[in-house]
Amino acid sequence: MLAAAVVMPWLGSRKRHLAAATSSAALMADAADSALCGYMAWIALSGLVVNAIWHKPWADPVAALAFIPLILREGWQAMHASRLGCGCS
């Protein structure tokens, strides 16, 4: 999980740059998926660490709620890019 937390946001960033260079909507969507995977790993790790150190069983569900703004942002960007016909921002 730690490897995903480190590698996936970096991979998403590289895919976004490549998608902008090639104007590939499919690669832009894959970049968003990679970034979300990395963010999800960080959020899961934070919930597990809080639960392990301070023995708070509610930490995992609260950490999962932190994922909602990230999902909404990525969805908003995807919808906006599809209206423009290019995800090259």
Side-chain angles (χ1 to χ4, degrees):
M1 190 180 308
L2 185 58
V6 173
V7 173
M8 294 308 281
W10 173 81
L11 184 61
S13 172
R14 300 304 309 153
K15 286 180 180 181
R16 275 196 177 108
H17 290 301
L18 185 58
T22 61
S23 298
S24 172
L27 189 56
M28 184 61 79
D30 192 41
D33 185 47
S34 295
L36 284 174
C37 178
Y39 300 146
M40 186 170 52
W42 277 112
I43 290 168
L45 279 173
S46 66
L48 288 172
V49 167
V50 169
N51 191 4
I53 293 174
W54 293 290
H55 306 291
K56 303 292 183 189
W58 49 262
D60 289 329
V62 170
L65 289 175
F67 194 53
I68 292 172
L70 297 172
I71 294 171
L72 293 175
R73 182 184 69 109
E74 292 295 332
W76 181 263
Q77 287 177 348
M79 287 175 42
H80 182 68
S82 69
R83 279 191 222 132
L84 294 176
C86 175
C88 305
S89 60

